[in-house]
Amino acid sequence: MIRVKNIIINIHAFFLLLLSLYLLFLFLASGHRLNFKDFAQIKLLFEILVFLVASIALFFRKRNFLFGSTVLIILLILVQLSFIDFYIEISDVEYGDENPIIILMLLFIIFVSNLFLIYSQIKLRTKPDSRPIR
């Protein structure tokens, strides 16, 4: 079971890293200049930063490299809130006849995986006698 958790954690961290790089690429390719008065741009940059830091924290979770279990739980909760914000933003757009089903399915899978990671980290935190995920 621990091996399955490790595989899920590594895949989740990889997808968060890819998602942050993809969103950064979209932001840079859009041609917009950085405007600190635009709330949507600041929110997107914050979400990119949260995804990037959460993926790094998941990659280095064994060594507790700058990230403890409490910080990791907070980062995963922020990632979860960012996914909820993505769902709200995607639902506000009118697509016509075709909906972005593949993107929504991938985001839902990462959403559920993130819930599993939050649960496992809280469970690990509340049961100090249990073994850590390696």
Side-chain angles (χ1 to χ4, degrees), residues 18-129:
L18 281 179
L19 184 63
S20 67
L21 293 176
Y22 176 72
L23 290 174
L24 183 63
F25 175 74
L26 283 179
F27 178 74
L28 294 175
S30 68
H32 293 98
R33 291 187 179 180
L34 183 61
N35 184 6
F36 288 109
K37 294 178 183 176
D38 188 8
F39 180 70
Q41 281 186 1
I42 301 301
K43 185 174 66 168
L44 179 65
L45 289 175
F46 178 72
E47 289 170 349
I48 291 170
L49 183 67
V50 166
F51 290 151
L52 183 67
V53 172
S55 66
I56 291 170
L58 285 172
F59 278 127
F60 293 111
R61 73 190 177 283
K62 293 178 188 173
R63 300 183 201 130
N64 282 336
F65 178 72
L66 296 177
F67 303 106
S69 62
T70 307
V71 174
L72 185 60
I73 291 170
I74 291 170
L75 284 172
L76 290 174
I77 290 172
L78 286 175
V79 166
Q80 199 72 10
L81 291 174
S82 295
F83 281 134
I84 292 170
D85 180 54
F86 279 165
Y87 285 128
I88 292 170
E89 293 293 329
I90 289 173
S91 68
D92 287 342
V93 177
E94 293 183 21
Y95 295 100
D97 293 337
E98 302 201 13
N99 293 328
I101 304 254
I102 295 174
I103 293 172
L104 289 173
M105 286 175 40
L106 286 174
L107 286 176
F108 179 73
I109 290 170
I110 297 172
F111 183 84
V112 171
S113 171
N114 199 42
L115 280 176
F116 171 74
L117 291 179
I118 291 170
Y119 169 74
S120 66
Q121 290 296 323
I122 291 174
K123 183 178 156 187
L124 181 70
R125 183 96 169 127
T126 57
K127 291 185 177 181
D129 58 333

